[in-house]
Amino acid sequence: MDDVLKQRTTEWRMRRVGIVTMSRACDIMTEPRTKADKEAGKWSETARTYMLEKLAELLTGVPGDTFHSEPTRWGMEHEAEARERAMPIIAERFGCTVELPEGKNAFILHPDEPNIGCSPDGIIGDMGLLELKAPYNPVNHLRTVLSGEMPEKHIEQVQGSLWVARRKFYIFGSFDPRIERSGMDPLFLCRVERDEAYIQGILAPRVILFRDWLHNEYTRLTGSKEPF
């Protein structure tokens, strides 16, 4: 990772401190293990862990994602190559131009709901976003290629980002340079449309409720009503 990218990554991580991000929307949407907890409106342990991570960031001012696992490092190291390969294909296949998310577009905050944001891998005109994945396990990449569509595990992140950024569609990509030795195209791309019913009926209310839970816990511990 070059010095410019390291600096951009550091700045990006600091901008996310204490902010509910759509890259973790799947954790927020996770259901509790038991039917009783679900009926009682309790949060899952996965959601609670994420809330505590964000709460710790608010209290310390330090980004919580200081440790990167091997799969995370792999994805970060291959993101630039994936985007470089994707840009001309997207222009030809979808008629779209991709821009690197710089400045305010590096981390986008929801215009109406405070302290909720997203980090797209690319900006596509006024209507679209780009999300690129470089799976550490090639099986996951092949599963995506064979299915011909975005894996369900990314729905929350993609739809949540479309909600935050007020965009209409995502170009989703999966990239694995290791399979190129076989002559197979290492890049898979598909277009994902905004699902307004899912966003407004399920995802957005849950994310807002989570954000409020985080704020309430901060206030309870510190007595301050303005954590941001």
Side-chain angles (χ1 to χ4, degrees):
M1 191 181 298
D2 60 35
D3 291 340
V4 174
L5 184 55
K6 284 182 179 179
Q7 180 181 2
R8 182 183 299 135
T9 301
T10 299
E11 294 172 353
W12 170 78
R13 289 174 61 238
M14 289 305 301
R15 290 183 65 185
R16 289 159 48 98
V17 167
I19 307 296
V20 177
T21 64
M22 292 304 94
S23 62
R24 299 287 295 277
C26 60
D27 292 344
I28 297 172
M29 301 302 292
T30 301
E31 297 285 357
R33 289 180 178 272
T34 68
K35 181 180 178 181
D37 284 348
K38 183 177 180 180
E39 292 177 346
K42 294 184 178 180
W43 293 94
S44 69
E45 282 304 310
T46 301
R48 180 172 178 78
T49 297
Y50 180 47
M51 189 279 293
L52 292 173
E53 289 176 13
K54 292 284 106 176
L55 184 59
E57 288 182 348
L58 289 175
L59 294 170
T60 65
V62 179
D65 56 347
T66 54
F67 172 75
H68 294 308
S69 65
E70 189 61 29
T72 300
R73 284 195 293 268
W74 171 270
M76 293 174 63
E77 289 171 1
H78 291 87
E79 179 184 325
E81 182 184 358
R83 181 165 43 228
E84 183 178 349
R85 290 193 180 219
M87 290 172 68
I89 300 175
I90 291 173
E92 179 181 354
R93 188 185 304 175
F94 301 102
C96 303
T97 300
V98 179
E99 297 179 6
L100 188 67
E102 297 280 6
K104 67 179 182 180
N105 286 328
F107 185 65
I108 302 172
L109 291 172
H110 194 288
D112 301 320
E113 291 295 340
N115 314 122
I116 298 174
C118 68
S119 304
D121 292 328
I123 305 297
I124 303 175
D126 296 326
M127 304 298 287
L129 299 171
L130 174 67
E131 182 65 35
L132 295 169
K133 302 294 185 183
Y136 184 66
N137 187 342
V139 169
N140 293 328
H141 175 74
L142 291 174
R143 183 177 285 115
T144 299
V145 172
L146 292 174
S147 72
E149 57 187 19
M150 180 183 73
E152 290 186 0
K153 65 181 180 179
H154 301 308
I155 289 176
E156 294 89 352
Q157 178 182 1
V158 165
Q159 292 297 331
S161 296
L162 290 174
W163 167 56
V164 167
R166 291 187 170 181
R167 299 287 175 127
K168 296 294 185 182
F169 69 91
Y170 241 110
I171 300 297
F172 174 85
S174 181
F175 178 69
D176 191 334
R178 294 166 294 191
I179 67 172
E180 196 166 19
R181 62 185 294 275
S182 68
M184 180 179 170
D185 189 340
L187 181 67
F188 167 86
L189 294 169
C190 67
R191 175 166 167 150
V192 180
E193 302 296 334
R194 181 184 177 108
D195 186 343
E196 195 67 26
Y198 171 71
I199 290 172
Q200 298 302 330
I202 300 175
L203 185 139
R206 188 71 171 173
V207 172
I208 292 169
L209 189 65
F210 179 89
R211 187 271 319 274
D212 292 344
W213 178 33
L214 170 63
H215 284 199
N216 290 338
E217 289 299 289
Y218 180 88
T219 297
R220 186 169 67 85
L221 291 175
T222 67
S224 172
K225 295 182 179 181
E226 298 294 338
F228 297 92

